[in-house]
Amino acid sequence: MARKKRGNPVHGWVNLDKPIELGSTEAVSRIRRLFNAQKAGHAGTLDPLASGVLPIALGEATKTVPFLMDAEKVYRFTIRWGVSTASVDREGAVTARSDIRPSVEAVRAALPAFSGEIQQVPPIFSAIRVDGQRAYDLAREGVEVELKARPVTVHEIAVSDAPDADHVEITARTGKGVYVRSLARDLAVMLGAEGHVSALRRERVGPFTAENAVTLEMLEDLAYRGAALEGLLPVATALDDIPDLAVTGSDAFSLRQGRPIVLLPRQVETLKDRLKSGSRTVSAFEDGTLVALCQMRAGRLEPDRVFNLS
């Protein structure tokens, strides 16, 4: 006999405005407890010393997490000049000091080198695995960690503020896998300075923005009033850039059974025009309810991930 799942079948996304000092894993646990949800996960770790957008998936929404991992992100971060640390943030041990304070003009002149597809070496205090162990665990044990450079994309990067000579604030719109601390480290090296990230806020992950994010306090208040579901966004929120198709009840039944459905020629042409280059993924809806994520092949939709939301 199958074991009964603990919690309630809650499905959807929480766009959490994560506070400083709270780790991503603990944030997921707290949200899961607030909703008494059976299943939860997050789309992209946010350091404890960072604040901002942390999309948390509940229930069937966890099936859409991979689509957010590749989503564009926007970060706003402050570099403090004069001090470098082992972790390239304010928590790490000081490794070097300098009296050099790059001017705003010098920073702006250097930033184009960090735009477009660049080669980036992740910070040694990162979750990347080295011989089966996390790099940050090895670094804390004093083991020398050598990480390889890898290609990442920075779509836009610019100075957004310069409050004083010791600090500069930068905003970056990035692709998958970009480390802000590495941007700060490499910028400091290019400018012949020492520096670390003293503040970091993530302002966007795909369709999830800081403007429509909710705090833990807001969610706790909703839960206290028995209205926690008001803080939940639809499962399909993470699929905003994937073309959708309305299907009939019989086609929805077939997709839920794992069987492909045949498309009309006009449906094929419409979807082709809306698909991203190289993508075949289409979301199928019945009466506004997400049924399945499908692959379009040879005039058919073949179910890839099926959702139990009815």
Side-chain angles (χ1 to χ4, degrees), residues 82-142:
V83 178
S84 289
T85 69
S87 56
V88 205
D89 60 26
R90 66 178 184 274
E91 191 176 48
V94 173
T95 57
R97 296 181 184 273
S98 170
D99 292 330
I100 296 174
R101 303 293 187 270
S103 68
V104 175
E105 291 74 19
V107 174
R108 287 196 176 109
L111 288 181
F114 299 92
S115 181
E117 185 173 299
I118 62 173
Q119 293 291 321
Q120 185 183 74
V121 178
I124 57 172
F125 282 83
S126 63
I128 291 174
R129 291 191 179 276
V130 179
D131 297 329
Q133 291 184 271
R134 299 290 188 185
Y136 54 65
D137 288 331
L138 295 172
R140 286 168 185 155
E141 293 170 4

Side-chain angles (χ1 to χ4, degrees), residues 59 70 103 118 152 154 181 199 220 225 229 249 263 265 269:
D70 294 332
S103 68
I118 62 173
V152 296
V154 178
R181 286 176 292 145
E220 287 167 352
R225 294 189 281 113
L229 294 181
L263 299 173
E269 292 307 312

